[in-house]
Structure formats: structure tokens, C-alpha cells
Amino acid sequence: MENKNFYINRRHFLKSATAAMALSSFGAYGLDLMHREKQLRVGLIGTGWYGKSDLFRLMQVANVDVVSLCDVDTYELAAAGKLVSERQQSKKTPALYGDYRKMLADQGLDIVLIGSPDHWHALQGIEAMRSGADVYLQKPISVDILEGEALVAASKKHGKTVQIGTQRRSTPHLVEAKKSVIETGLLGKIAHVEMWCYYHMRDTKNRPTKPIPDYFDYDLWTGPAPLREFDGIPHRRWRAFMEYSNGIVGDMCVHMLDTVRWMLGLGWPKRVSSTGGIYVQKEAKANTTDTQNAVFEFEELDCVWQHRSWGTPDNPDYPWAFKIYGEKGTLTASVFKYDFTPVEKGKSIHRKVGYEKEKYPEDLVEKDIELHTAPATRMHMLDFLAAIDQNTPPVANINEGHISTASCILANMAMDLKRPLCYNPSEKIIVDDPEATKLLKRSYREGWEHPANEAF
């Protein structure tokens, strides 16, 4: 049966002038998407905050049947099942799983969304492709560089479409900035980029150990990562530990670097260097940096990153953002807005994010939703579906996601090794640096096999 809400929402979506510009700029969207008759079978791995958010955005724009959910937290899983049943036109509750491998083996899914912690992305993404599904994979795609290479290889081997959750490439006002500022040449020659994040987002507590509750499978949650002492359910807090993430660089820089690379048509950086450490928040158990700088070197262009999880932002209007410097002007942009400032006489441009609250009133009552990113994620899902239909690469395909993720991992490696690094993706080595090359693949916990062992 056709999902009428799908068609209604698509018509509403296309009424927005900014969205229409974004649609035309991608080129991958076809209006025939409105006439999709096949209902896609969808599963979600990781039913926490952003996993559910991604799923609900997909449900808003596509004719889908959410048939299965997976999480190692049975409380989280049951709550997600109830929310999904309330949103599904059929009111059906998805099948609930504690182990993603069983879900993928059982369900015959068309699309799998992966919203689990970063240390799971590679194994779950590859297994989902192996099961026959196309994949929407949250960023960063991996916690080491050879995991990313294995994901790229799996996508080619299984012929599957993978869209990475770097939805800045589908953010309407940023799509407009690319088209109206970058591509029209308003900046002139571009020769420098700055990127930053000054959010107080790092866990600053030193939590005591606790008993593991019976509703949470901590061993499976940890999976291939080192098994740390349990100090409470790690929802959202896992980003404080390098065992499970790539730190603030991998969480926040990956978005800004990916956006800049997309806007300017940049590929792999020639060289990456970084300095930083834990300079202020030393009392915390967290082992990610509270202060870090990184330089990504491209031809005639450096992209410079800085984060601090303490103090005040340089510009309170842009606490997480990037700035592209050209000889004729500057583009400053974030998830909320952008500003073009000419060097001499000329017209400044200011644009803000559009929220689409009237078109999607359900957004207003969704717990923990990032209202400003909802339109971008809907666009990103539409681009994903169009790529599947037309067998074309999505805007944030696995290759682009790998470059952005690996570049951030290189920054962390360069900081630890205290020297610049040059990665050769063809040979999968750090050039002239055997010690660094050994760090391209992390050790897995006993019982888990690194995907690079099979891929290469």
C-alpha cells in the first residue's frame, strides 16, 4: 500500500525555495522518487539519540517499513520500538534484537541505518552490506584507517550504496553557499581555511565503577574495543574515550573538514600535522584531548583546525564553524547560517538555516531533536534513496567519508607521534614511516577479527 504521508511530505518539501535550489544542485534527485511503490524494509542498529533521529527523518520522506531494531540496552530498545510503532502508518512494532548479527541474518533488509558508537561502524557496516543491504552509516566511518579501507572495499565487492552521515553536504543553506559564493567566484583565489569548535562537550567527571545492570550487555557493547571498567551506561559519554572514538577531532572536525573538502573539491591532504593534549580538564577520566590544533595541507591551501572544550569561543556567533578566505572575500559558515563578507565594496550575503517546523510539526515534540539539522538529514536521506534508485554515488559516499575520517585519524596519530604524516592510500602506508604505518590498524579484543585481515 502506498504511504500517503510520503507523497504529502515530498510536496511540502519541494515548496521551499532554498530546498529547491539544493535539489537542483545535487542533480541526483528525481521527481520519480515521489512515485516509489516498493516499500523498503529498514533496520536500525543503535537506537540511541542519533540513531532514532536518522530513522525518523527517513520515515518522513520515504515509503519504508521499519521491520527491526537492534540495541544492547533492552530499555533503550523497547522505548525505541514503541516510538517507531507510533510513527509507522501500520502501527507495527519492529522486531527487537540485542545482537546485530542475528538481526541482519533474519530480516532480509533493503536499508540498514547504523547509529552505534564509532568503534562499531566498520564491522556493522561491512556485515550489513554482506547481508544485501544498502547502508546509511554515521560518521566517522572508522576508528582506524584500515577499517575505513575495508569499508570502501566491501562497498565495491558487494555493490552497495553507502551514505555517510556528514549531512552538511545536504544542508540547504550550505548548498546555497557553495553554489552562490564558491562556484560564482565571489571569493576569488582561495588560499586558506580555518575550522574550529569551542563547545564544552567533553565529559569532565571522574566517575566511580558500578555494577553492570542486567538490562545492558556491556561485553557486546564493547565488542572489538578494549574492555574498560564499567562506570555507568556510556550513552553519549563514550565519545570521551579514544578506545571508542576519534575524540573531538573525529566527532566535530570531520564535519567541518568534510564540508570544506566538498565545497572546494579537495581530495586527500598531502600532509597532516597536529599538536594538543589535556591541558585544562585534567581531573576528568576522559582521555580525549581538551585542546588540539591540526593542519591539513593541500595544494596551495592549508585547512587549519582548532578545538577547546573550555574557555570562550573567539566568535560567539560561530562557536563551531569554518571560514574560507579568498582574495576577494571571506565565507564564514556553520550549521546555523553563513556570511559572505567582501574585501572591498560589494554586497554582503547573510543566510540562516530553515527549520521546516510548519511542514513537519512532529519535529517540535520529538525528544532531543536537533531542529536545525532535521532538514539537512531529510535531504541527505532523499539523496541516499536517489543514489540507490539510479545506481549513482550519493553526495556523501563511502570514498568521501573515508577521506574525511582518515584525515582526522591522521591528525590524532600525528599528535601522538609528534611529527607530520603523509598517507599513501594506494599503498595503504604512511610514507617513509614504518612506525606510523603499524598504527593504521588497531588491535581488536580477543574474539573479534579486524576487517582489514580479510579485505587485503
Side-chain angles (χ1 to χ4, degrees), residues 118 121-122 137-143 148 151 164 398 401-402 405:
D118 299 350
H121 289 178
L137 179 63
Q138 261 305 331
K139 59 77 205 170
I141 70 166
S142 63
V143 291
L151 275 161
I164 307 307
I398 185 63
H402 176 45
T405 296

Side-chain angles (χ1 to χ4, degrees), residues 167-169 171-175 177 194 196-197 199 255-256 259-260 262-263 315-324 331-340 350-355 372-373 376:
Q167 73 270 40
R168 304 287 79 80
R169 292 178 180 237
T171 301
H173 69 274
L174 295 180
V175 173
E194 294 174 2
W196 61 87
C197 181
Y199 287 158
H255 270 301
M256 296 297 109
T259 306
V260 169
W262 161 66
M263 283 192 167
N315 182 348
D317 289 335
Y318 283 99
W320 177 42
F322 64 88
K323 185 174 286 190
I324 301 176
L331 173 66
T332 308
S334 74
V335 294
F336 293 101
K337 56 191 170 184
Y338 82 80
D339 284 284
F340 165 70
H350 175 74
R351 294 286 187 274
K352 291 184 178 180
V353 66
Y355 286 93
H372 61 285
T373 67

Side-chain angles (χ1 to χ4, degrees), residues 204-424:
T204 59
K205 295 182 179 180
N206 190 344
R207 305 168 192 270
T209 58
K210 296 181 178 180
I212 301 171
D214 57 7
Y215 60 85
F216 186 74
D217 189 338
Y218 186 50
D219 185 75
L220 186 53
W221 182 92
T222 302
L227 187 67
R228 291 180 57 93
E229 62 182 19
F230 184 82
D231 58 7
I233 301 295
H235 298 327
R236 302 200 195 184
R237 290 194 299 107
W238 54 265
R239 289 185 175 87
F241 300 102
M242 295 300 291
E243 289 87 346
Y244 314 129
S245 75
N246 299 324
I248 294 175
V249 171
D251 187 23
M252 307 302 276
C253 177
V254 70
H255 270 301
M256 296 297 109
L257 178 63
D258 186 77
T259 306
V260 169
R261 290 184 48 255
W262 161 66
M263 283 192 167
L264 302 184
L266 302 173
W268 284 94
K270 297 188 303 177
R271 188 167 71 160
V272 179
S273 56
S274 181
T275 59
I278 303 173
Y279 296 159
V280 175
Q281 298 166 335
K282 297 179 182 292
E283 73 283 358
K285 185 180 287 187
N287 57 24
T288 55
T289 62
D290 64 13
T291 309
Q292 192 170 343
N293 302 283
V295 180
F296 305 91
E297 299 177 35
F298 298 90
E299 290 292 339
E300 298 186 356
L301 174 69
D302 286 350
C303 294
V304 180
W305 167 261
Q306 182 183 79
H307 75 248
R308 281 185 283 105
S309 57
W310 51 273
T312 60
D314 179 60
N315 182 348
D317 289 335
Y318 283 99
W320 177 42
F322 64 88
K323 185 174 286 190
I324 301 176
Y325 292 88
E327 59 179 337
K328 297 179 180 178
T330 302
L331 173 66
T332 308
S334 74
V335 294
F336 293 101
K337 56 191 170 184
Y338 82 80
D339 284 284
F340 165 70
T341 306
V343 169
E344 298 177 348
K345 292 182 179 179
K347 184 178 179 182
S348 298
I349 304 173
H350 175 74
R351 294 286 187 274
K352 291 184 178 180
V353 66
Y355 286 93
E356 301 184 337
K357 297 176 184 178
E358 295 80 13
K359 299 167 197 169
Y360 299 96
E362 63 271 28
D363 287 358
L364 300 178
V365 295
E366 183 177 316
K367 185 177 182 293
D368 294 332
I369 188 174
E370 289 184 331
L371 282 173
H372 61 285
T373 67
T377 303
R378 282 188 281 265
M379 289 275 288
H380 218 42
M381 291 298 178
L382 288 168
D383 179 80
F384 177 42
L385 295 170
I388 294 170
D389 284 351
Q390 300 169 17
N391 195 28
T392 55
V395 67
N397 62 69
I398 185 63
N399 295 291
E400 296 298 328
H402 176 45
I403 295 172
S404 294
T405 296
S407 297
C408 291
I409 295 172
L410 285 169
N412 289 330
M413 291 171 58
M415 181 191 69
D416 290 340
L417 293 170
K418 295 181 171 53
R419 57 179 177 269
L421 302 177
C422 303
Y423 180 62
N424 183 326

